[in-house]
Amino acid sequence: QQPVQSPQAVILREGEDAVINCSSSKALYSVHWYRQKHGEAPVFLMILLKGGEQKGHEKISASFNEKKQQSSLYLTASQLSYSGTYFCGTASQGGSEKLVFGKGTKLTVNP
Amino acid sequence: GAVVSQHPSWVICKSGTSVKIECRSLDFQATTMFWYRQFPKQSLMLMATSNEGSKATYEQGVEKDKFLINHASLTLSTLTVTSAHPEDSSFYICSADPASGVAQPQHFGDGTRLSIL
């Protein structure tokens, strides 16, 4: 089942913050976050495993709430380079398990 | 870091032609590779899971005879779109999973943009 991402689109000014949510109706083992720029392949950002962890990568961090089966991606002090479409991919089992991707959230950062 | 190479990056061909796309893991062995299709402004839709040495597992609605997948070695999987038609035009992306037994990020190739005239 495809996870639900919200919002569908976000427009920010450089330096502003944003939160992107990813929710699933199925019990999840892991949530993967990717950013894709137009015409390019997705680029891996981070992976979160069940257990309710939180991770950070420079000014981009994420959390995984196992009880709610929801993950949130936090973008702080956004930069122009953050523009792109963000996808969450969810897996219900560990190991080499296929990912089901959400429909994506288009983020536009303007000067 | 793990590198996945996909070739070709762009294909334009006539309707009825068969097109082969290669996906290689350059610095790791991949027992599992995934093939996705992405239409403009849409999400990544999994087409099939390619397993080294065995038959691919196709997602519901994907024609096995039209999208042939071969995973003959631990570093190479190929997707052949047979008798391609304009509706097959899309962005095809592969990803490889090092499969260490713990959830690992999938590493994507650069994708192949297929245009059928």
Side-chain angles (χ1 to χ4, degrees), chain A residues 48-68:
Chain A
L48 300 104
L49 305 180
K50 70 175 184 178
E53 64 172 345
Q54 186 156 355
K55 277 192 173 181
H57 178 70
E58 297 181 347
K59 294 179 181 178
I60 301 175
S61 62
S63 63
F64 180 19
N65 186 319
E66 191 178 349
K67 288 183 180 179
K68 293 184 178 180

Side-chain angles (χ1 to χ4, degrees), chain A residues 78-99:
Chain A
S78 59
Q79 305 170 11
L80 296 177
S81 61
Y82 286 5
S83 292
T85 300
Y86 289 77
F87 292 99
C88 68
T90 56
S92 55
Q93 295 178 7
S96 295
E97 183 59 45
K98 62 184 182 183
L99 295 179

